[in-house]
Amino acid sequence: MAQSLTSRMSRLAISTRNLFTSSSSAAAAINTTSISKSTSPISISLRSQWIQQQPHHHHLTLRSLSSMPTQTRTIDITNNNSSSDFGATSTLPPLLNSQTDAENFAAFVHANRHYKVKPFILKRRRQKLKTYIGNEKNIRHSPWRMNLVCQFAHGLTVPEALKQLMFCQKVKAPLVAKVIRRTANLADIRDGIQPSQLEVAECFTTHGTHLKRLKIMGRGRSGKKLRRFSHIRLVLREIDFPTKLIESTSINQKRKWLERLEIAREDYEKATVEKEELAELERLAAEVAEKQRKEKEAEETK
């Protein structure tokens, strides 16, 4: 996928006009790529109309767009439909229904990277994402030292944050990892969102209730010292993969987010299958218990 994605992005970036103006017998008439500003500020549409449909083979992977038909699709980042995104996000509309759509979207965004998305649009989209708050209070540790560990995990995805904290040589690094795991488990219980679908949006430390103690000094003097306590505030947020692809500035960043999207989709599908199997087992157990209860009542009546 890495080589095919790179070749596709470079082809789109360098020879976009030559790509969309083929004059062979199986050529197609493709409308120019346009960004429609009438429906929404960021309504990126790619309209294509093919005269002759070419057969699709498995060996023609995403190595070049010139050898594959471009399907008609409209990508609207401000759409308000309520349906699941199969691992990308369960709150916003399904822009990336498959890994192929994600790669096409990444290549299209990279080819049109000179178009900038307005910040208020991305902010409005982030406000619709689900967030999960976790905290830990009254930690016997300096808030300045604790904040170093918290800011170390800030901005990372949950699997990456746990991996980095595992090798962080700070005393309270396991405690921060424990808070992240607990909050991610809360997201799984409430909405079925897996850790690979979450990122650390906020992670910082505040002052707790400090204890005043006596400080013995020289020449018969005394002062006061504080036993510092701190609180941790953690906010986990869903990852909006289309927005991440738009904000990525290089091909390598887009490739990394595509790999994370694939992992998140696999985890989401596995968790969905496990939950369906568990629900089926619970239903069967309830039926067996109901049958045993009826048999017991029948025996008592006799």
Side-chain angles (χ1 to χ4, degrees):
M1 184 191 72
Q3 296 180 357
S4 61
L5 183 61
T6 306
S7 61
R8 177 191 293 190
M9 289 182 176
S10 60
R11 186 180 293 273
L12 275 174
I14 297 173
S15 60
T16 307
R17 292 183 178 179
N18 297 331
L19 182 64
F20 292 129
T21 56
S22 177
S23 60
S24 60
S25 60
I30 303 178
N31 296 331
T32 57
T33 304
S34 61
I35 293 184
S36 56
K37 299 182 181 180
S38 58
T39 56
S40 60
I42 179 63
S43 178
I44 306 176
S45 61
L46 185 63
R47 300 187 296 270
S48 60
Q49 182 181 2
W50 283 84
I51 298 176
Q52 181 179 0
Q53 184 70 24
Q54 300 178 1
H56 175 68
H57 302 283
H58 293 288
H59 68 276
L60 292 176
T61 55
L62 303 177
R63 183 155 302 187
S64 63
L65 286 179
S66 59
S67 61
M68 295 183 60
T70 305
Q71 299 179 356
T72 303
R73 60 190 178 94
T74 300
I75 301 176
D76 187 3
I77 201 172
T78 59
N79 193 7
N80 294 322
N81 297 329
S82 58
S83 56
S84 61
D85 202 359
F86 303 101
T89 170
S90 60
T91 304
L92 297 177
L95 298 181
L96 309 176
N97 289 327
S98 63
Q99 193 66 19
T100 305
D101 292 341
E103 293 177 4
N104 291 336
F105 182 78
F108 180 72
V109 169
H110 185 76
N112 297 273
R113 58 187 179 274
H114 50 280
Y115 292 103
K116 301 299 182 181
V117 182
K118 294 184 179 179
F120 78 91
I121 298 175
L122 301 178
K123 181 180 179 181
R124 186 184 303 169
R125 186 173 173 87
R126 288 193 188 97
Q127 289 176 352
K128 298 179 182 179
L129 296 171
K130 295 180 181 179
T131 57
Y132 304 92
I133 300 176
N135 52 44
E136 185 74 19
K137 295 187 176 181
N138 297 324
I139 305 170
R140 178 63 184 89
H141 202 70
S142 170
W144 295 281
R145 295 181 180 179
M146 180 67 71
N147 201 42
L148 294 176
V149 185
C150 292
Q151 292 299 315
F152 183 71
H154 172 72
L156 301 177
T157 60
V158 170
E160 291 180 357
L162 295 176
K163 188 183 298 183
Q164 295 293 334
L165 291 173
M166 187 185 301
F167 298 97
C168 181
Q169 297 182 359
K170 294 288 185 180
V171 177
K172 297 300 180 179
L175 180 62
V176 178
K178 177 182 175 182
V179 177
I180 294 176
R181 286 195 205 92
R182 186 172 59 202
T183 312
N185 189 26
L186 180 65
D188 188 13
I189 294 172
R190 288 183 179 177
D191 301 314
I193 298 178
Q194 302 305 308
S196 56
Q197 299 174 255
L198 297 170
E199 64 178 348
V200 183
E202 296 180 11
C203 187
F204 58 88
T205 307
T206 57
H207 288 264
T209 303
H210 305 313
L211 300 180
K212 296 181 180 180
R213 292 293 182 261
L214 182 64
K215 181 180 180 181
I216 304 300
M217 304 192 315
R219 298 183 180 182
R221 296 175 299 170
S222 64
K224 68 174 184 178
K225 61 183 178 181
L226 297 177
R227 300 291 185 184
R228 305 280 181 178
F229 285 79
S230 57
H231 306 322
I232 294 178
R233 175 179 169 82
L234 174 70
V235 177
L236 298 184
R237 184 177 59 199
E238 285 181 295
I239 301 177
D240 187 15
F241 288 96
T243 303
K244 296 295 184 181
L245 291 174
I246 290 175
E247 292 179 339
S248 300
T249 57
S250 64
I251 296 178
N252 291 330
Q253 292 180 3
K254 290 183 175 63
R255 187 185 298 116
K256 288 182 180 179
W257 282 113
L258 287 175
E259 293 175 356
R260 293 167 185 168
L261 172 61
E262 186 176 2
I263 294 173
R265 183 177 288 109
E266 291 177 357
D267 293 345
Y268 179 81
E269 292 175 353
K270 290 180 182 178
T272 303
V273 172
E274 291 178 357
K275 288 183 179 180
E276 291 177 355
E277 293 178 354
L278 183 60
E280 183 67 19
L281 292 175
E282 290 179 354
R283 186 184 63 81
L284 294 176
E287 291 179 357
V288 172
E290 183 67 19
K291 184 178 180 180
Q292 293 178 355
R293 185 182 64 81
K294 290 182 179 179
E295 291 177 356
K296 186 176 181 180
E297 290 179 355
E299 291 178 358
E300 290 178 355
T301 54
K302 292 179 180 180

